[in-house]
């Protein structure tokens, strides 16, 4: 796996864990927490949404779904 792919997957996993711990977060909170651009966070959220792991109850807010997830290291 390319280092850039590994970094991206690690960040997406971290974003999911952060949302899971906090309950509901805003896109801006994620940008601030992970020190990336809003576009990068949106791409990560799109991956999580595609896999039915997060949803947006209202514009700019994110929460996890009830889908069961097994986190590996």
């Amino acid at each position: 796996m390319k280092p850039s792919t590994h970094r991206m997957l690690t960040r997406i996993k971290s974003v999911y864990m952060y949302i899971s711990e906090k309950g509901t977060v805003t896109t801006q909170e994620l940008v601030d927490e992970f020190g990336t651009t809003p576009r990068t966070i949106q791409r990560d959220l799109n991956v999580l949404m595609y896999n039915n792991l997060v949803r947006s109850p209202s514009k700019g807010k994110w929460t996890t779904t009830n889908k069961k997830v097994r986190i590996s290291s």
Side-chain angles (χ1 to χ4, degrees), residues 12-67:
I12 290 172
K13 180 178 164 183
S14 297
V15 167
Y16 176 79
M17 295 299 294
Y18 183 82
I19 296 170
S20 182
E21 289 170 12
K22 298 289 182 179
T24 301
V25 299
T26 65
T27 304
Q28 189 58 51
E29 282 178 71
L30 295 169
V31 168
D32 295 342
E33 177 68 22
F34 292 96
T36 62
T37 65
R39 182 68 188 120
T40 297
I41 289 297
Q42 192 59 55
R43 284 188 193 108
D44 295 348
L45 291 167
N46 287 342
V47 170
L48 291 168
M49 254 184 11
Y50 178 82
N51 288 287
N52 196 30
L53 295 171
V54 299
R55 64 184 182 85
S56 180
S58 62
K59 186 175 174 158
K61 295 195 180 208
W62 299 92
T63 189
T64 56
T65 63
N66 292 328
K67 185 174 181 180

